[in-house]
Amino acid sequence: MESSRAAGRRARRSRRRPLLYTALAAVAVVGASAGGTVYVKAQAHSGGGAVSSATTPSGSPSSATTTQEAAVAKPVVDLDKQLATAMKSVSVTGDQKVSAAVLDLESDDSAVHGDGTFDTASIVKVDILAALLLQHQEAGTRLSAQEKAYATTMIENSDNTSASALWDAIGRASGLDAANAKLGLTGTEGGDGALWGLTQTTAADQLTLLQQVFGEDSELSEASRSYIQGLMGQIEADQRWGVSAAADGTGFALKNGWLPRSTTGLWDINSIGRVTVAGHAYLVAVLSNGNSTQAEGVSLVEAAAKAAVSVFTGETGSASASASADVTSAVIAR
């Protein structure tokens, strides 16, 4: 799905959230050694400045120094940097570009690599459904039988006709943008006219969208979240590739997008969803463009998804077999 007016599209925004996390621990200050005093300096948990303690020389122990506890800051963990390091294992060739984001649902720690904007292709279908549900929530209404039918085929089968119908129902780009402002997406802009597949987004924004779908702190009601999750967990068999490669079995829910660009002859390949590894859930978003073939893009996205999850698991491999070999058809704007 492309427009000859693509060059005149609105300027896109991008966002990348800085992600630094600090944990604190308490340790007991022990007595002095024979060689001199022990000195501990740490940032107090309350933020009130450094806490220091010097023990008395050996032979004159102070009960205060043997029992005093001081808050000690653990080293700052730069998860973005760790993800950047993990992504070095992902082979990127030619015109390929890739961006990835991952979040640990238990700790809410997250990391993002790359802040460029990408065509959504069909991953926008999750956003379209979220916007539709949010509109119904605000109006106090429910999806009609026809809207439910469209939603099912749009997500489970990636049906484009259904997506176009719901794109119109939400008010196209203006409706999507208004919903995204409430959902917290700041780097996503709806495609021109009927071209929902050319909506522009970032990996960080897609991670935010996934948090709205799979997290509890969401603008979407529990019923709305469960509805989208259910559909993303029943994707048809030949579309179960992408971020699912990072799962250790069948514990995943996803939506993929693939789009050959007529202007370049290259492919946009994207995948977003939730994966489970050893009973632990992660949200993963991988966006790519400049792929010479669909299969090449799928391989890139799957490798990036594994690298992203490895930031938390420490493992770059996966027990889930890659579905790359099964992706042979060139389905436009799916």
Side-chain angles (χ1 to χ4, degrees):
M1 293 189 51
E2 290 194 62
S3 168
S4 61
R5 296 170 291 126
R9 294 199 302 268
R10 299 181 296 277
R12 269 65 185 182
R13 303 165 306 220
S14 66
R15 175 176 68 96
R16 186 173 187 268
R17 299 175 297 177
L19 303 162
L20 294 179
Y21 302 89
T22 304
L24 296 179
V27 297
V29 180
V30 299
S33 66
T37 61
V38 176
Y39 183 78
V40 177
K41 184 176 182 180
Q43 188 68 31
H45 181 71
S46 64
V51 176
S52 63
S53 173
T55 68
T56 56
S58 177
S60 301
S62 168
S63 60
T65 59
T66 57
T67 60
Q68 179 184 2
E69 290 188 349
V72 177
K74 292 174 64 177
V76 172
V77 178
D78 188 339
L79 293 174
D80 283 0
K81 185 175 181 179
Q82 289 189 4
L83 178 54
T85 299
M87 288 293 289
K88 290 180 180 179
S89 67
V90 178
S91 177
V92 178
T93 61
D95 295 317
Q96 287 181 309
K97 294 181 180 179
V98 63
S99 181
V102 59
L103 179 141
D104 182 333
L105 269 176
E106 183 173 308
S107 67
D108 274 343
D109 288 346
S110 60
V112 179
H113 174 73
D115 58 1
T117 57
F118 294 76
D119 301 326
T120 56
S122 277
I123 61 170
V124 75
K125 291 170 180 175
V126 175
D127 203 2
I128 291 173
L129 182 53
L132 180 67
L133 289 167
L134 189 61
Q135 289 178 354
H136 275 286
Q137 282 180 206
E138 294 174 341
T141 56
R142 298 181 179 181
L143 269 64
S144 67
Q146 183 61 73
E147 287 174 331
K148 288 182 178 179
Y150 283 145
T152 298
T153 55
M154 177 178 72
I155 300 298
E156 294 184 2
N157 311 112
S158 204
D159 181 71
N160 291 335
T161 299
S162 296
S164 294
L166 294 184
W167 178 248
D168 290 341
I170 66 171
R172 296 190 170 185
S174 61
L176 187 78
D177 293 347
N180 283 342
K182 297 171 183 176
L183 295 173
L185 281 68
T186 61
T188 300
E189 189 171 352
D192 290 340
L195 303 178
W196 44 262
L198 293 185
T199 294
Q200 299 294 290
T201 194
T202 65
D205 255 20
Q206 290 304 300
L207 196 62
T208 297
L209 176 62
L210 290 172
Q211 286 179 275
Q212 289 288 327
V213 172
F214 292 99
E216 295 182 357
D217 183 12
S218 173
E219 295 297 319
L220 296 170
S221 68
E222 182 178 358
S224 292
R225 298 196 307 272
S226 295
Y227 182 64
I228 303 177
Q229 292 172 25
L231 296 178
M232 292 178 70
Q234 300 181 76
I235 299 298
E236 66 179 49
D238 66 354
Q239 295 177 27
R240 295 175 186 174
W241 47 266
V243 297
S244 57
D248 60 4
T250 59
F252 59 83
L254 58 80
K255 183 70 193 80
N256 296 323
W258 55 104
L259 172 65
R261 297 302 307 269
S262 61
T263 54
T264 63
L266 302 175
W267 286 78
D268 296 331
I269 303 292
N270 306 319
S271 184
I272 60 173
R274 179 186 63 191
V275 301
T276 303
V277 181
H280 207 92
Y282 304 94
L283 303 181
V284 187
V286 182
L287 311 179
S288 76
N289 59 29
N291 301 288
S292 60
T293 66
Q294 185 178 10
E296 179 185 69
V298 171
S299 294
L300 173 62
V301 166
E302 292 186 341
K306 293 177 183 179
V309 173
S310 76
V311 169
F312 295 103
T313 65
E315 298 180 2
T316 56
S318 171
S320 175
S322 170
S324 301
D326 297 329
V327 183
T328 56
S329 61
V331 185
I332 297 179
R334 294 292 296 276

